[in-house]
Amino acid sequence: MFPSHDGLYGIGELAERAGVTVKTVRFYSDNGLLPEACRSAGGHRRYGPEALGRLRLVRSLRALGLPVREVHRVLDEEETGAGSVLEDAVAGQLRELGSQLRALRWREAGLRLVQECRPGERADRLRLIGAVSAPPDTAPLARFWRGWLPPRMPAGATAAFLEAVVPQPPEEPEPAQVLAFARLYAFVTRPCTGAERPQPAAHRSEGAGRPAVLYAGLAEAYELAGAQILRGREPSPGPELDSFVDAYASAYGSRDTLAFRRVLAGQLAADPRIDRYWELVSEVVTPPGGTPEPTPGSAHDWLFAALDAQLVARTGRGHRAGRVSASPR
């Protein structure tokens, strides 16, 4: 079908040529995406020859998921020939689609988790995974650690610390990882009693006076220890332990001596533990059957065991390396 004798399309003609319904053409017209050339004497919409190409472009943009307001901006840019609205709009849609896909993968793994468990476990698992959004939100984990950190930590040091201790949910989780994250979420959001005092001595007023120095040094020591853990090396003195002890010595304004190491080991052995958090973190970041990834908690245990082994070798006395504390552990 061709335009009428005046070179204009009627709404039905335009819809047929573009392969859409009259209702669709009317919707785009009413929203300003498809300007009319004029109205007939009977009040019917008439469109110029350029309307067919514009309608096809609008249809393609909408098929990509762009909302009407973004389509408006793209069309305006097409007319002016300036800017990069289309590229920005497509990038935004890709980000949104990625978030939707992550949510779907999380929900799929959650459904498989419920499907594969024993009937007696379903109520508990439904309760756990039902409390977590999809894709899961890590903000509660960050809040947990913000309340655990010493006061007056610089913003940059806090951000670096949170990046190290808050695990990112896997992009394509297995059911076991969904369960581990749900349990981790429950762990950090459970009510705390007044008797609980999770902060180690280094966080209190009589402890380290330079928390940013302490945590920067610990981050370096944990990274060094993590490499040794991946190699399967048993805890032993070396540059990893020296870096670990130096973090505390620098924060306390002390020298790294054997006496200081003995006092430090005693303090760390008496500090509270957050073992369960790190066990669950390891399960979240490690696919079933994979090699467990080192965490700050496992790195701290390795370093304390190395310190304990050194003290036993030099003084004959240790601090039960199998039950050490951690900062943060």
Side-chain angles (χ1 to χ4, degrees), residues 14-201:
L14 182 62
E16 185 175 349
R17 289 292 298 272
V20 299
T21 65
V22 170
K23 183 178 179 181
T24 297
V25 177
R26 186 175 293 114
F27 173 80
Y28 291 155
S29 294
D30 291 343
N31 282 274
L33 298 176
L34 193 63
E36 304 166 13
C38 64
R39 291 266 180 154
S40 69
H44 299 292
R45 305 173 197 241
R46 306 290 288 171
Y47 300 90
E50 73 284 351
L52 181 58
R54 186 180 178 95
L55 177 55
R56 286 170 173 165
L57 175 59
V58 170
R59 185 185 181 191
S60 297
L61 294 172
R62 292 287 288 161
L64 290 174
L66 270 65
V68 169
R69 65 180 181 278
E70 291 294 334
V71 175
H72 261 298
R73 296 178 61 210
V74 173
L75 294 175
D76 290 344
E77 181 182 81
E78 286 285 318
E79 294 175 356
T80 62
S84 56
V85 174
L86 178 58
E87 289 81 356
D88 293 342
V90 169
Q93 284 298 110
L94 285 172
R95 287 192 297 271
E96 182 177 341
L97 183 59
S99 179
Q100 293 172 358
L101 288 173
R102 287 192 295 273
L104 289 173
R105 294 187 192 107
W106 189 265
R107 289 170 184 161
E108 180 188 20
L111 289 169
R112 288 169 52 201
L113 176 67
V114 174
Q115 182 183 51
E116 295 167 3
C117 72
R118 293 189 294 269
E121 299 175 328
R122 285 178 183 163
D124 182 61
R125 293 194 175 182
L126 283 170
R127 177 184 58 81
L128 284 169
I129 64 176
V132 181
S133 62
D137 184 10
T138 59
L141 280 66
R143 285 195 295 270
F144 171 82
W145 286 109
R146 287 183 185 277
W148 183 91
L149 286 168
R152 297 180 297 281
M153 275 273 285
T158 298
F161 175 82
L162 293 177
E163 184 177 355
V165 301
V166 175
Q168 293 305 308
E171 291 287 329
E172 299 185 8
E174 293 293 329
Q177 291 173 296
V178 170
L179 181 60
F181 191 94
R183 286 172 171 165
L184 187 61
Y185 182 95
F187 179 84
V188 300
T189 57
R190 76 194 193 287
C192 294
T193 65
E196 290 181 308
R197 190 182 188 184
Q199 286 83 359

Side-chain angles (χ1 to χ4, degrees), residues 243-305:
S243 176
F244 179 66
V245 175
D246 182 67
Y248 284 99
S250 298
Y252 279 91
S254 301
R255 291 188 305 113
D256 179 5
T257 64
L258 181 61
F260 177 81
R261 293 192 177 208
R262 187 181 300 112
V263 171
L264 176 63
Q267 174 188 298
L268 296 178
D271 275 344
R273 299 176 61 87
I274 315 178
D275 294 325
R276 184 58 175 160
Y277 182 91
W278 298 117
E279 291 169 359
L280 292 171
V281 166
S282 182
E283 293 177 21
V284 168
V285 301
T286 306
T291 302
E293 291 289 331
T295 66
S298 62
H300 188 98
D301 275 357
W302 190 96
L303 290 161
F304 185 88

Side-chain angles (χ1 to χ4, degrees), residues 262 308-319:
R262 187 181 300 112
D308 194 68
Q310 184 182 65
L311 292 175
V312 169
R314 292 192 180 183
T315 68
R317 296 177 59 188
H319 292 272

